[in-house]
Amino acid sequence: MTIQPEFKNAATLTFLELVKSRRTYYDLKAESAITDEAIESIVRDSVLHVPSSFNTQTSRIVLLLKEEHQKVWDVALNALEGLVTAGVVPKEQFEGSTKPKLESFRAAYGTVLFFVDFESLAPIKEKFAIYADKFDPFAIESNAMSQYLIWVALQSEGLGANLQHYSPLIDEQVAKTWNIPASWKLDAQLVFGTPTSEPGEKAFAPIQDRFKVFGK
């Protein structure tokens, strides 16, 4: 039997319930239950407050809404169509699976582009040379925390989202379209909008194989 813990702060239980309820939603429409300013506030707060090793602040984020959001998935569609023309991707696979998936992303309300500025780590790598090979992975971990925070916060406000990774396929055109600095390296794309269906069933591996406690 699971014993319900007693938390000192009621907000802790609320936060954990939000964490538990976060899911991947693929069927999204171009509507939002909250204002663009509210979405922008969520993303801005993640840029400011998500931790990074040695306070290096390596995450860079671009928020795309409405027509600007559609552009990034036009870029992806064009890139994949190019692979079909080049014979890299079978046309049947593209038409039957890849294209409908990309069009479903395009049909959403917005996309958050997550970048990492690895070049900004040069001074800290020089200062702490013994850890130099660790700072790039640390930067990716910090970026992942931003992805998760925004995902949970958007869902808390009634939006669904799914996380995609189309790098490096779209990187060059994304940089040109939005004048992204060369040092920003694209890591992930979070697609969001109003859900039009329920998420799939989520399965959990046995917790006893993944979690241990000592000292109780």
Side-chain angles (χ1 to χ4, degrees):
M1 182 179 68
T2 302
I3 300 175
Q4 180 64 42
E6 294 184 5
F7 296 109
K8 180 179 178 181
N9 185 348
T12 302
L13 182 59
T14 301
F15 172 71
L16 291 175
E17 288 303 318
L18 291 174
V19 168
K20 293 175 185 177
S21 67
R22 186 222 49 84
R23 300 297 304 279
T24 295
Y25 288 85
Y26 288 110
D27 297 325
L28 305 168
K29 60 182 177 179
E31 296 179 7
S32 175
I34 59 175
T35 65
D36 293 346
E37 289 73 23
I39 297 171
E40 183 179 345
S41 178
I42 288 170
V43 176
R44 184 192 303 112
D45 281 350
S46 81
V47 175
L48 288 173
H49 299 294
V50 167
S52 57
S53 65
F54 291 78
N55 198 30
T56 45
Q57 302 178 51
T58 47
S59 290
R60 309 286 184 261
I61 300 181
V62 173
L63 173 61
L64 304 174
L65 300 170
K66 302 165 187 165
E67 292 82 4
E68 293 298 310
H69 146 80
Q70 293 172 1
K71 288 180 184 179
V72 74
W73 298 109
D74 289 337
V75 167
L77 276 163
N78 290 335
L80 266 298
E81 286 174 346
L83 294 182
V84 173
T85 302
V88 177
V89 174
K91 184 176 181 179
E92 297 77 14
Q93 176 184 326
F94 174 74
E95 294 291 343
S97 175
T98 305
K99 185 177 181 180
K101 181 169 62 175
L102 293 171
E103 288 177 338
S104 75
F105 301 153
R106 190 183 189 279
Y109 187 78
T111 299
V112 185
L113 302 179
F114 296 90
F115 301 81
V116 178
D117 188 347
F118 293 106
E119 291 184 18
S120 68
L121 289 168
I124 200 77
K125 288 180 178 180
E126 182 177 356
K127 184 176 181 180
F128 299 99
I130 192 172
Y131 301 119
D133 64 332
K134 304 294 185 183
F135 285 109
D136 283 4
F138 290 162
I140 294 172
E141 291 169 3
S142 178
N143 199 256
M145 285 190 274
S146 292
Q147 296 166 27
Y148 187 70
L149 171 61
I150 293 173
W151 194 345
V152 172
L154 289 176
Q155 181 161 320
S156 176
E157 290 298 309
L159 292 161
N162 60 79
L163 191 66
Q164 301 300 320
H165 301 86
Y166 279 85
S167 297
L169 192 62
I170 64 174
D171 292 15
E172 182 178 354
Q173 193 57 45
V174 164
K176 288 180 180 178
T177 302
W178 289 283
N179 194 29
I180 303 298
S183 63
W184 294 22
K185 301 305 177 186
L186 186 59
D187 182 54
Q189 307 88 48
L190 184 70
V191 185
F192 64 91
T194 298
T196 59
S197 67
E198 292 301 312
E201 190 71 24
K202 187 174 183 179
F204 295 92
I207 189 65
Q208 60 268 27
D209 297 338
R210 301 187 291 147
F211 176 59
K212 297 182 184 296
V213 179
F214 300 94
K216 286 183 68 175

